[in-house]
Amino acid sequence: MSRLILFAFILALLCFKKVSSEVNIEHSYKHYRLPTSIQPTHYNLKIITFFDNPPNLTFNGVVTIRFKTMVDTNNLTLHSQNLIIDHNRIQLKTLDDNRIYYCGLYVDIVPEHNYYIINLCRRLIAGEEAEIRISFKGMLNDQLNGYYRSSYILKKTNETKWLSVTQFEPAFARTAFPCFDEPNYKAKFKIWLGHHRSMTALSNMPMERQQPISDMTDYVWSIFEESVPMSTYLVAFAVHDFAYKSSGDANVMFRTWSRPEAIDQCNYASKVGPKILKFYEHIFAIPYPLKKLDQFAAPDLGAGAMENWGLITYREAALLFAENVSSETSRQRIADVIAHELAHQWFGNLVTMKWWSDLWLNEGFATYIASLGVAFLNPEWGSLNEEALDNTLTVFRRDSQLSSHPVSLPIESTHQIAERFDAISYKKGAAALRMIHMILGQDAFFQGIRRYLLVHAYKNAQQDDLWAAFTERARLLKRIDPKHDMKIIMDSWTLQVGYPLVKVKRDYNSGLVKITQQRFLQNNTYVTTESEKCWWIPLTFTTSSKMDFSASAPSEWLQCNQFKQQVQLTMENVVAPNEWILFNIQLSGLYRVMYDFQNWVMLNQTLNSNKFQGIHVLNRAQLIDDILWLAWGGYTDYDITFDFLSYMILERQYLPWRAGLESLSHVNRLLRTFHPTYETFQHFMRTIIRPVYYYLNGLNYTRPEYEMSHITILHKSLISSWACRLEIHDCINTAIRYFHEWKQSANPQDNNHIPVDIRPIVYCTAIRHGGKDDWNFLWQIYLASNVASEKHAIIFSLSCSNNATILRTYINMAYDKNEYIRRQDATFAFSSVARNEIGFTLAKDYFISNIDQLYEFYGSHTQELGNLLSPLASQVVKYEDRNQLIQLIDRKRKYFRKSEKIVLNALETIHHNINWIERNVKVVNSHLKLRFTYLN
């Protein structure tokens, strides 16, 4: 990459960052956090929702907030956004003298932070308690946040049915009612929902009673029990006409809700939920705090799911499972999402982070604990290893970029919060917790968690509180050296960006093994001080003579000194000269490993022999991923990389293939426009994948299909998907045969005999090799389907076409106001087209030409516009495309203000793509050609 291009790239980053942070508004109070003069203790919230005018759905409300005055103050600052407030009816009531004051005449509004500042007509004194009463009105929006509208079509009558639902995380409660909308302002809530008597209302707590609204015919109040103390982002309510299935036991009323026509799809979730809830009560030794738990399948939901206390909302595809239609992948996803949201009832709800900087305390915990929940539910799935690998690989990709961020990072404006809901908070947080679990062992880990939960129950915490709990237990049970502290160890993982590359250099004469560390970057050509970072790294290892992959507790530590600089570790007499040494047993630590050449050679000899299965399956996956990404980043040559990949001809297990193919997908993506190198690469890939494809019986299924194990089904789906993309003839011919037999059947909608778990592969392959008639047939199946997971699979498959006209029309349909594709799925449809080789240019041109309309479609409050940029950036390998996107970002800077990190990530990805192409196209071609004789 030329210095001129690199300079332009860096300039683009700096210019974007500078402009996106500019603020020029002057107001009376400008700090991004609320003043600490007021502490709310109780909300009485009354909201009436109206559905009688679908183009203009509205709600009216009154909120009375009781609070304690912490310091003397003349004003009260809270949050309000897009609400119409009757200033003249604002009442302040002091509880000591029971007097009422009308204080709405002097109001200051600060749009930048959504502040609604009431200048009080009476000074409040520290220690005094009072109430503020505010009347308001609002619109049920269509942006999938705050208090918003959703709908579905009753297929029997073709009637549109409306409902309302909430999504308040991270900062949208303020769009539904005036409130102190920060997580550390916990309070109790008494909620009254007014609605037509024909509908049902739900909220966090069980319903206490229902009574008529005196001046409104056929309208009732649904009045709910007072809540436990909770943050505003966890408040939830919905008004609807859904059906439900009951499950659980007498202690917790457990219900799963859906559209009436999908109620039979609730069976799986209604069984899974109570079992996982009981498991969590056991391992945390803390009962679920509420009397009821509702799972609610919303037709429209921006997030995958939301952990509202006692009323968890889900996308339909994340909760509903249709027998003989939904796949094993869908079954596992539903179990995982339910386990994740139920874990939040303790991590996030019972104990909440003080501020969004420590979001990982919610999301990282929920992600890791969910893996334990799913493993308890279905131990035969082998999901613990799969989840550990998935989390690690995701972190390895994202956190190798300069544009990544620490797990715990200061947040200084509301628009930055949404960017933290990413792989770093979820998956790096989970990987860090798994590493702690491995270090401390079962007893110390869970005793530390229980202490953390009990001490901070119904309150807020920060990560130092967690480190204190772990340190106390770890020292008591002698799991760490008394002079070590979990805060010092774990701050190196959560307070700095990136992760380490452990470099192992052996002296084969003296027997010494010297170990150092540096930050791993996806592009080793960057000149940066990032490589000087230091982590406290727990080291586990084995050798070819021991082959012991059972020990996960560290036998050595790679440490940092008091100045946070690395200290080299030298190990003596741990491995013979003719043996290999392998670090990071079962991926117990979050680090990559780079060995000296001779150690790589010996590892490769074992992999390419009948002894390869002696290496743990997770470590085989680790070796393949490490060697591929060391070459991807320019740390090693592709020569030894393709030597390692040759062993894949022998591999029959899922996880090494999962790791290898995920890494190779990046090489595949960049090479596919460079012929004949791509043809050489495809030939190599077909050669290594054919043995396992036929070992798994290709796309063919023996009946009954579900006699295959869960992991075999996942493996078969993964390999077959690649086999069809690599144009292995048996795969293509079988897929097309399946599709046309189905298409020509008497009633395709009800008689689909394609095996469930390969349907996405069959659909995509048939559409890629088919014509307009095939595409239209599958589109009609999509429109008629009542199963969200099937609709999701079809959305992807329709993007597989090689017909530019069809793809261009498809993108237009994704953003059509008639909502052929639901708003929540538009980004997925666009991204699927963008990742298609033919569709990339079409999607890029659409993005550039329709940027204003897309900004209006998504609204100014989300980062979805930035999310469209990511799949485009991943495909860019030419300067012309890069320049077009940079110019667009520069021209429309304000549109990307809420997705700054995503844009920086996209620009860095583009730079690396072009750099990789220039370095590796000819190199990969020559290395692969040398191997064909051996492989064949």
Side-chain angles (χ1 to χ4, degrees):
M1 192 68 174
S2 72
R3 291 185 178 182
L4 181 62
I5 295 169
L6 182 57
F7 174 77
F9 166 72
I10 295 172
L11 183 63
L13 293 184
L14 294 177
C15 287
F16 176 78
K17 196 163 187 175
K18 179 180 178 182
V19 171
S20 65
S21 61
E22 288 178 355
V23 175
N24 298 308
I25 303 173
E26 294 294 331
H27 286 289
S28 59
Y29 182 73
K30 298 184 294 183
H31 190 60
Y32 66 95
R33 296 287 300 276
L34 287 171
T36 57
S37 53
I38 299 297
Q39 180 65 51
T41 58
H42 188 276
Y43 290 76
N44 195 75
L45 176 62
K46 296 184 176 182
I47 288 182
I48 304 177
T49 307
F50 304 98
F51 292 104
D52 50 358
N53 184 17
N56 188 33
L57 302 184
T58 63
F59 60 91
N60 296 345
V62 176
V63 63
T64 302
I65 309 172
R66 186 181 309 153
F67 59 87
K68 183 180 293 184
T69 308
M70 309 307 290
V71 296
D72 294 2
T73 183
N74 289 315
N75 58 52
L76 188 150
T77 302
L78 40 68
H79 291 105
S80 176
Q81 184 180 3
N82 299 334
L83 294 174
I84 300 171
I85 294 177
D86 188 343
H87 306 318
N88 297 318
R89 295 177 62 191
I90 295 176
Q91 295 179 15
L92 175 69
K93 179 181 179 181
T94 54
L95 301 186
D96 58 345
D97 57 10
N98 211 31
R99 291 189 60 185
I100 295 177
Y101 303 85
Y102 290 90
C103 292
L105 297 178
Y106 309 100
V107 170
D108 189 12
I109 296 173
V110 186
E112 178 192 351
H113 299 302
N114 310 133
Y115 288 153
Y116 190 84
I117 304 174
I118 304 170
N119 296 289
L120 301 173
C121 42
R122 175 194 181 281
R123 184 174 181 80
L124 294 173
I125 308 302
E128 189 174 17
E129 287 190 88
E131 290 181 349
I132 194 84
R133 186 179 188 274
I134 305 173
S135 300
F136 58 92
K137 296 180 180 180
M139 296 280 295
L140 287 177
N141 71 76
D142 61 358
Q143 297 294 306
L144 310 186
N145 63 67
Y147 191 32
Y148 68 92
R149 67 178 72 186
S150 181
S151 66
Y152 67 93
I153 296 176
L154 198 61
K155 293 190 179 296
K156 291 181 179 179
T157 62
N158 205 35
E159 178 187 1
T160 298
K161 308 286 283 186
W162 292 95
L163 63 142
S164 62
V165 67
T166 56
Q167 171 61 42
F168 289 162
E169 189 181 40
F172 293 114
R174 64 192 66 178
T175 68
F177 59 99
C179 58
F180 297 86
D181 201 12
E182 292 183 5
N184 59 317
Y185 286 97
K186 286 191 170 184
K188 295 182 178 181
F189 288 80
K190 180 73 174 180
I191 294 176
W192 299 47
L193 296 180
H195 57 89
H196 194 276
R197 66 171 63 253
S198 64
M199 304 190 80
T200 300
L202 292 174
S203 188
N204 305 85
M205 303 300 290
M207 188 183 298
E208 182 180 274
R209 68 184 189 279
Q210 200 172 72
Q211 66 186 43
I213 299 178
S214 58
D215 55 347
M216 297 180 66
T217 305
D218 290 331
Y219 271 70
V220 296
W221 286 115
S222 290
I223 305 166
F224 299 89
E225 294 179 9
E226 182 180 78
S227 77
V228 295
M230 61 183 182
S231 305
T232 50
Y233 80 88
L234 292 170
V235 174
F237 39 87
V239 179
H240 58 90
D241 65 346
F242 280 13
Y244 69 88
K245 279 191 177 294
S246 292
S247 51
D249 56 33
N251 294 325
V252 179
M253 179 174 67
F254 205 108
R255 298 176 297 187
T256 304
W257 300 77
S258 76
R259 296 176 286 113
E261 291 181 335
I263 192 62
D264 60 327
Q265 299 175 37
C266 292
N267 293 334
Y268 180 64
S270 67
K271 293 176 182 176
V272 166
K275 291 179 181 178
I276 294 178
L277 194 71
K278 279 289 184 186
F279 172 69
Y280 289 161
E281 289 184 320
H282 172 70
I283 64 172
F284 302 146
I286 299 174
Y288 172 68
L290 307 185
K291 298 177 185 176
K292 69 96 175 175
L293 199 154
D294 289 311
Q295 301 188 121
F296 189 87
D300 301 282
L301 193 72
M306 176 59 207
E307 66 268 19
N308 315 298
W309 219 347
L311 176 54
I312 304 173
T313 51
Y314 298 81
R315 282 194 183 187
E316 287 191 350
L319 187 70
L320 305 184
F321 184 86
E323 294 291 343
N324 302 317
V325 178
S326 300
S327 66
E328 276 297 287
T329 302
S330 178
R331 187 193 302 271
Q332 182 170 333
R333 183 187 178 225
I334 290 168
D336 190 59
V337 174
I338 291 173
H340 181 103
E341 303 310 324
L342 292 180
H344 270 308
Q345 307 302 298
W346 285 264
F347 297 99
N349 299 12
L350 183 64
V351 179
T352 311
M353 75 266 143
K354 287 186 177 179
W355 180 237
W356 298 103
S357 300
D358 280 333
L359 174 65
W360 82 273
L361 290 176
N362 286 14
E363 300 301 347
F365 256 115
T367 302
Y368 181 59
I369 295 299
S371 69
L372 305 181
V374 173
F376 161 77
L377 189 71
N378 295 103
E380 73 281 1
W381 284 1
S383 58
L384 265 183
N385 283 345
E386 183 189 2
E387 178 79 5
L389 180 65
D390 177 71
N391 290 339
T392 302
L393 296 187
T394 303
V395 173
F396 279 172
R397 277 115 185 87
R398 177 66 185 103
D399 217 21
S400 66
Q401 295 182 297
L402 288 172
S403 57
S404 186
H405 64 85
V407 172
S408 180
L409 180 69
I411 290 176
E412 298 180 351
S413 67
T414 303
H415 81 260
Q416 292 178 345
I417 300 172
E419 291 190 319
R420 297 298 184 268
F421 287 82
D422 65 357
I424 300 301
S425 296
Y426 284 71
K427 293 182 178 291
K428 188 175 182 182
L433 288 166
R434 179 177 182 267
M435 185 164 62
I436 295 171
H437 198 169
M438 296 289 193
I439 294 168
L440 300 186
Q442 189 81 348
D443 290 343
F445 181 73
F446 278 105
Q447 286 183 31
I449 284 178
R450 290 164 192 154
R451 181 174 179 82
Y452 168 77
L453 290 173
L454 285 170
V455 169
H456 303 286
Y458 303 105
K459 294 181 286 190
N460 299 80
Q462 54 193 354
Q463 68 170 23
D464 281 0
D465 298 317
L466 180 65
W467 304 152
F470 278 141
T471 299
E472 192 269 341
R473 291 290 99 184
R475 286 175 177 169
L476 182 67
L477 297 179
K478 297 181 170 54
R479 297 298 300 185
I480 60 172
D481 191 301
K483 66 177 181 287
H484 288 170
D485 187 297
M486 291 302 293
K487 173 176 169 54
I488 294 174
I489 293 169
M490 293 311 301
D491 277 356
S492 72
W493 294 94
T494 60
L495 296 184
Q496 63 180 345
V497 67
Y499 60 89
L501 171 65
V502 171
K503 302 174 77 172
V504 179
K505 188 174 182 179
R506 297 174 57 184
D507 185 324
Y508 292 88
N509 293 319
S510 66
L512 297 179
V513 180
K514 296 182 179 179
I515 305 173
T516 57
Q517 61 171 290
Q518 68 180 70
R519 182 183 174 187
F520 181 87
L521 291 168
Q522 73 165 353
N523 191 335
N524 194 34
T525 63
Y526 288 136
V527 179
T528 174
T529 59
E530 286 294 308
S531 60
E532 299 174 5
K533 290 181 179 295
C534 184
W535 289 262
W536 280 72
I537 304 173
L539 296 177
T540 54
F541 66 92
T542 190
T543 64
S544 51
S545 60
K546 294 181 179 178
M547 285 281 200
D548 181 4
F549 290 90
S550 60
S552 60
S555 53
E556 298 283 351
W557 283 88
L558 195 54
Q559 300 183 20
C560 310
N561 64 22
Q562 59 182 328
F563 304 108
K564 299 182 180 180
Q565 298 168 329
Q566 65 166 294
V567 178
Q568 177 181 290
L569 174 67
T570 301
M571 301 168 62
E572 301 180 15
N573 303 318
V574 293
V575 58
N578 62 341
E579 293 182 327
W580 50 252
I581 189 169
L582 186 151
F583 283 85
N584 203 11
I585 291 174
Q586 295 190 45
L587 285 176
S588 54
L590 191 61
Y591 57 91
R592 292 195 184 280
V593 186
M594 184 168 74
Y595 304 97
D596 59 71
F597 180 77
Q598 183 59 28
N599 200 76
W600 279 124
V601 169
M602 288 189 287
L603 282 166
N604 187 42
Q605 287 171 347
T606 299
L607 282 179
N608 280 282
S609 73
N610 59 8
K611 298 180 181 178
F612 76 94
Q613 294 184 74
I615 298 175
H616 192 279
V617 67
L618 273 175
N619 287 106
R620 302 204 301 270
Q622 169 211 12
L623 286 169
I624 287 298
D625 189 70
D626 278 354
I627 200 69
L628 275 164
W629 275 76
L630 287 166
W632 177 259
Y635 293 84
T636 60
D637 188 86
Y638 268 101
D639 190 32
I640 193 169
T641 300
F642 286 115
D643 276 347
F644 262 75
L645 289 175
S646 300
Y647 117 87
M648 300 295 282
I649 290 175
L650 306 173
E651 184 62 76
R652 298 294 181 266
Q653 295 298 308
Y654 173 58
L655 295 183
W657 276 106
R658 166 86 179 271
L661 291 177
E662 187 172 318
S663 296
L664 286 164
S665 68
H666 299 281
V667 178
N668 182 78
R669 184 186 71 241
L670 297 190
L671 286 181
R672 63 187 182 185
T673 57
F674 291 89
H675 303 282
T677 302
Y678 186 50
E679 294 172 0
T680 308
F681 176 75
Q682 281 189 304
H683 183 39
F684 171 79
M685 290 299 298
R686 283 193 290 268
T687 303
I688 65 171
I689 211 169
R690 274 196 187 100
V692 70
Y693 171 75
Y694 287 112
Y695 170 80
L696 293 168
N697 201 24
L699 276 181
N700 297 301
Y701 268 72
T702 55
R703 300 289 184 174
E705 63 192 63
Y706 287 111
E707 287 184 357
M708 274 192 290
S709 71
H710 174 82
I711 201 164
T712 300
I713 291 171
L714 300 185
H715 194 191
K716 186 182 185 74
S717 299
L718 173 69
I719 296 299
S720 297
S721 176
W722 269 83
C724 282
R725 275 186 284 165
L726 291 168
E727 299 189 345
I728 291 177
H729 294 307
D730 178 78
C731 191
I732 293 173
N733 294 338
T734 305
I736 292 174
R737 174 175 56 81
Y738 271 132
F739 188 84
H740 284 289
E741 286 177 356
W742 173 44
K743 182 181 173 183
Q744 293 163 11
S745 64
N747 186 0
Q749 184 63 45
D750 298 325
N751 296 299
N752 187 344
H753 296 298
I754 301 172
V756 168
D757 296 293
I758 60 168
R759 285 179 186 176
I761 303 166
V762 170
Y763 297 168
C764 180
T765 304
I767 294 300
R768 184 185 298 121
H769 294 274
K772 187 175 181 180
D773 185 61
D774 295 317
W775 198 95
N776 287 335
F777 166 76
L778 193 58
W779 175 250
Q780 292 302 317
I781 296 293
Y782 168 81
L783 294 177
S785 176
N786 187 41
V787 180
S789 59
E790 181 180 47
K791 293 174 85 75
H792 192 264
I794 294 175
I795 287 173
F796 165 75
S797 300
L798 290 169
S799 74
C800 296
S801 176
N802 284 328
N803 185 311
T805 301
I806 288 175
L807 291 176
R808 189 178 293 110
T809 301
Y810 187 38
I811 296 176
N812 286 320
M813 292 168 71
Y815 294 103
D816 193 292
K817 291 182 179 178
N818 291 314
E819 291 197 8
Y820 297 110
I821 292 174
R822 299 194 85 95
R823 177 180 290 268
Q824 65 186 15
D825 295 323
T827 299
F828 177 61
F830 177 91
S831 300
S832 298
V833 174
R835 291 187 174 95
N836 179 330
E837 183 180 354
I838 302 297
F840 163 68
T841 301
L842 302 173
K844 173 182 65 79
D845 292 345
Y846 183 90
F847 184 68
I848 293 171
S849 300
N850 296 275
I851 189 71
D852 296 327
Q853 293 89 330
L854 289 169
Y855 181 73
E856 181 181 355
F857 177 87
Y858 286 112
S860 60
H861 59 276
T862 75
Q863 56 182 6
E864 282 300 304
L865 198 65
N867 289 337
L868 299 186
L869 188 62
S870 296
L872 293 173
S874 69
Q875 314 300 307
V876 172
V877 294
K878 297 178 181 177
Y879 293 119
E880 178 185 356
D881 296 326
R882 183 206 64 172
N883 292 340
Q884 285 181 320
L885 290 176
I886 287 178
Q887 289 166 10
L888 176 71
I889 293 166
D890 183 61
R891 192 171 71 251
K892 299 291 185 180
R893 290 169 179 170
K894 69 176 184 178
Y895 287 2
F896 298 98
R897 183 170 178 265
K898 294 191 176 179
S899 49
E900 177 183 303
K901 281 287 183 184
I902 296 173
V903 173
L904 296 177
N905 174 26
L907 293 173
E908 186 176 350
T909 297
I910 292 170
H911 168 68
H912 180 70
N913 287 353
I914 295 174
N915 180 276
W916 189 93
I917 288 293
E918 292 180 342
R919 286 189 292 114
N920 290 298
V921 168
K922 292 181 181 178
V923 172
V924 169
N925 189 54
S926 61
H927 284 326
L928 287 177
K929 282 187 175 180
L930 289 174
R931 279 158 181 77
F932 283 149
T933 302
Y934 165 72
L935 288 172
N936 289 322

